[in-house]
Amino acid sequence: MTSTMPQFRTLPDFLQHWAQEKPDSEAFVFRDKNQRRNVLTWASLYTLAGRFAAVLRDKGIARGDLVINTLPNSPERVVCEAGIWMVGAASVNGQCLMADGSDLLNTITQSRAPAILVDPDVTKSPWNVLKNHVVMDDGEHVTSSQLACLKTVIFVRRVENEGRGDFIGQLKAQEEWFQAGDVKPEDVFSVFTTSGTTGFSKLVVRTQGPFIRFVESDEFSILGIAGVWLNIQQMGWIGGTPAYTFVPGGTRITTDMRAGVPEDMIQHLLTSIQEEKCNTAIIPPIYLSKLAEMTDLTSSLHRLDSLMLGGLPVQQSTVNIGLKVADNICVAYGATDFGIVSGMGVTDSQTFTDHDSGKPLKDVQVKIVRAEDEAKLCATGQVGHILVKGPNMMKGYLNNPKATADAFTEDSFFRTGDLGRLDERGHLIVDGRGSDAIMRGVYIFYPSWIEKRLRECPGVDDVIVVGVPDAEVNEELCACVVLKSDDVSMEHVRQFAEEIFASKDDVMSACPRYFLKFESFPQTDTGKPLRNVIKTRAAQRLGLMSASN
């Protein structure tokens, strides 16, 4: 960002600036499964977003309202997000990972949002669930006894060649345009979803001011996001929000998921990096090792300046792989609730130790406290619970004051739920979760609600879900099952799970990858299952650790 650039305070300010400063520059490039490009320039994005803001205004959406966005990563998703911000409203991530849609219905109820965006034509569209719970008039107005807050369903369709009913085509033909003039830095711009112990996401409220100040800060450079960057993370999650592109004004390369999932995502990423000449990238760990294996490092590979890793404890072996495709590896620690806490750049894997996440950022405070008494600090090098405080914290959990209060200590430190230590250099070493939670890639799963759903399977007596080691995603979900009789098969349990959860191939799916039959579970003297013992036995049976460990 140039020194002469005015200090803008809201996301619509930045969008307007870039539309005027470099109207024909590419803001977002969507590559579909056949590697065809669909481009939003800054000018076209500003125009289309303003026209969608006019649509929202005409439907009664105003500053401070919430709009649930269920769209996949696509040009339509970005236009809708930007339009929501331009009207002064905030987007709510509307994920639907349960076959019965219970998670989406819970988000609608919890957020009390009056409007929702759906594409009824995509595979497993949320509309397939929602339409059974609402009554729709001739337009997009709905009524519902179960979802009393919901008033409007906005259909966002894609029709070939922008034919009749095509969302983008309709906006291009529209003349009415709107940008609210009263958007403030303290306004909420997005409500992100994060893991919950019940299977329903907590809704994390994020305001514009703290987010913008962080992206404008020197500390943001640790993430290596600059120039042309690749990021395929979901736009409803904080790591994938389009807002990261709005502030610095670069070019984001991503996948057009509305056109379908690429058959070979690894090759898709490699081709995208090569053809777009990306400077930086955020690549999920599940793809990283395979990407490096496919690359002929002695040929004309377009090397990345920087590759960002984060979301789970990073191993030296992962850094080694990353340095095959990038000159610098950015390792960071953070979460949706409390933002980026620490980070560093690594150019030599020999200088990196497992689980190191660098020094805390400026103005960020970190405390390591004892598990049995968080008022007592741990000594240097001693493992304890990580507490953090900083300027990029969430505002709270939406309409959930108890969860918000429980998340913070009396002196306003956030309880991360992670275990770690501060070493003699002041680096934060993050070792993992301090509870039964399972870290699969950048996603955290709490086993209790998954177990509850699996116990509903006919013929199942009991279930314990544990995390077993995985080189790419840290831990994989493993369902350890006690059956009522030999008449029930484990394949029956697997099929039941695949019917109630999203596809196991979805990185956010709670469907276990492994299913193991147990005759009984080891227990404590008080009858509680010994999860660590079960976890160890499961890993041994799967050949993921030696029996001596």
Side-chain angles (χ1 to χ4, degrees), residues 259-295:
V261 180
E263 290 185 9
D264 188 339
M265 181 60 81
I266 312 302
Q267 185 61 58
H268 180 84
L269 292 175
L270 181 60
T271 302
S272 297
I273 291 171
Q274 295 277 51
E275 294 186 357
E276 301 294 344
K277 298 293 187 284
C278 295
N279 303 106
T280 61
I282 300 176
I283 299 179
I286 194 171
Y287 299 130
L288 182 59
S289 61
K290 296 176 183 176
L291 182 64
E293 291 170 4
M294 291 179 60
T295 304

Side-chain angles (χ1 to χ4, degrees), residues 79-301:
V79 168
C80 287
E81 292 280 296
I84 290 169
W85 298 336
M86 287 182 69
V87 83
S91 64
V92 181
N93 186 32
Q95 67 184 24
C96 187
L97 297 177
M98 303 299 292
D100 61 1
S102 55
D103 50 346
L104 176 63
L105 299 177
N106 182 77
T107 296
I108 296 172
T109 302
Q110 183 72 20
S111 67
R112 305 169 194 164
I116 186 170
L117 309 177
V118 297
D119 184 340
D121 304 322
V122 297
T123 303
K124 297 181 180 179
S125 172
W127 177 241
N128 295 337
V129 171
L130 188 59
K131 65 184 180 182
N132 297 319
H133 299 272
V134 299
V135 176
M136 176 168 285
D137 62 15
D138 294 336
E140 294 179 326
H141 183 265
V142 298
T143 56
S144 172
S145 57
Q146 181 181 354
L147 308 170
C149 60
L150 192 63
K151 304 300 179 186
T152 303
V153 175
I154 301 175
F155 293 110
V156 180
R157 282 186 155 101
R158 180 183 295 185
V159 179
E160 192 172 340
N161 298 320
E162 296 183 1
R164 183 179 177 86
D166 179 71
F167 174 74
I168 296 292
Q170 289 175 326
L171 292 181
K172 287 181 177 179
Q174 178 180 311
E175 294 184 0
E176 193 173 9
W177 187 91
F178 178 72
Q179 179 177 351
D182 57 349
V183 180
K184 305 296 182 184
E186 59 268 25
D187 287 349
V188 177
F189 75 95
S190 281
V191 178
F192 299 105
T193 46
T194 190
S195 305
T197 56
T198 64
F200 297 139
S201 296
K202 289 180 288 188
L203 305 180
V204 181
V205 178
R206 283 289 185 165
T207 53
Q208 300 206 29
F211 178 86
I212 290 172
R213 286 192 292 274
F214 171 69
V215 180
E216 287 182 315
S217 71
D218 293 337
E219 306 289 344
F220 185 71
S221 62
I222 288 178
L223 305 184
I225 298 174
V228 180
W229 66 300
L230 175 79
N231 183 357
I232 64 168
Q233 294 194 68
Q234 297 198 20
M235 292 183 172
W237 288 68
I238 196 167
T241 175
Y244 282 118
T245 305
F246 278 42
V247 180
T251 302
R252 175 173 170 179
I253 313 299
T254 191
T255 304
D256 184 357
M257 299 302 288
R258 173 58 179 79
V261 180
E263 290 185 9
D264 188 339
M265 181 60 81
I266 312 302
Q267 185 61 58
H268 180 84
L269 292 175
L270 181 60
T271 302
S272 297
I273 291 171
Q274 295 277 51
E275 294 186 357
E276 301 294 344
K277 298 293 187 284
C278 295
N279 303 106
T280 61
I282 300 176
I283 299 179
I286 194 171
Y287 299 130
L288 182 59
S289 61
K290 296 176 183 176
L291 182 64
E293 291 170 4
M294 291 179 60
T295 304
D296 182 358
L297 300 175
T298 62
S299 67
S300 57
L301 169 68

Side-chain angles (χ1 to χ4, degrees), residues 463-492:
V463 179
I464 297 293
V465 175
V466 298
V468 293
D470 186 273
E472 294 178 350
V473 297
N474 189 56
E475 291 181 300
E476 273 289 1
L477 302 177
C478 176
C480 303
V481 183
V482 176
L483 300 174
K484 291 182 178 179
S485 73
D486 293 335
D487 295 333
V488 182
S489 70
M490 291 303 294
E491 183 60 28
H492 167 71

Side-chain angles (χ1 to χ4, degrees), residues 325-366:
V325 297
D327 295 331
N328 178 64
I329 304 300
C330 298
V331 179
Y333 169 65
T336 305
D337 320 65
F338 49 85
I340 302 297
V341 170
S342 62
M344 66 177 180
V346 182
T347 57
D348 181 358
S349 63
Q350 298 305 310
T351 66
F352 180 81
T353 56
D354 288 352
H355 302 182
D356 191 350
S357 65
K359 290 185 177 180
L361 305 185
K362 180 182 178 182
D363 299 326
V364 173
Q365 300 177 55
V366 175

Side-chain angles (χ1 to χ4, degrees), residues 97-99 124 438 440 443-447 449-451 453-454 463 465-466 468 473 475-480 490-515:
L97 297 177
M98 303 299 292
K124 297 181 180 179
I438 300 166
R440 184 187 187 277
Y443 306 107
I444 296 172
F445 297 91
Y446 293 90
W449 72 269
I450 304 174
E451 294 163 356
R453 294 301 300 268
L454 292 178
V463 179
V465 175
V466 298
V468 293
V473 297
E475 291 181 300
E476 273 289 1
L477 302 177
C478 176
C480 303
M490 291 303 294
E491 183 60 28
H492 167 71
V493 181
R494 182 189 297 275
Q495 290 175 358
F496 177 86
E498 292 178 353
E499 288 176 0
I500 63 173
F501 298 118
S503 168
K504 63 180 183 298
D505 297 324
D506 189 317
V507 294
M508 293 195 301
S509 174
C511 186
R513 177 178 178 182
Y514 303 109
F515 291 81

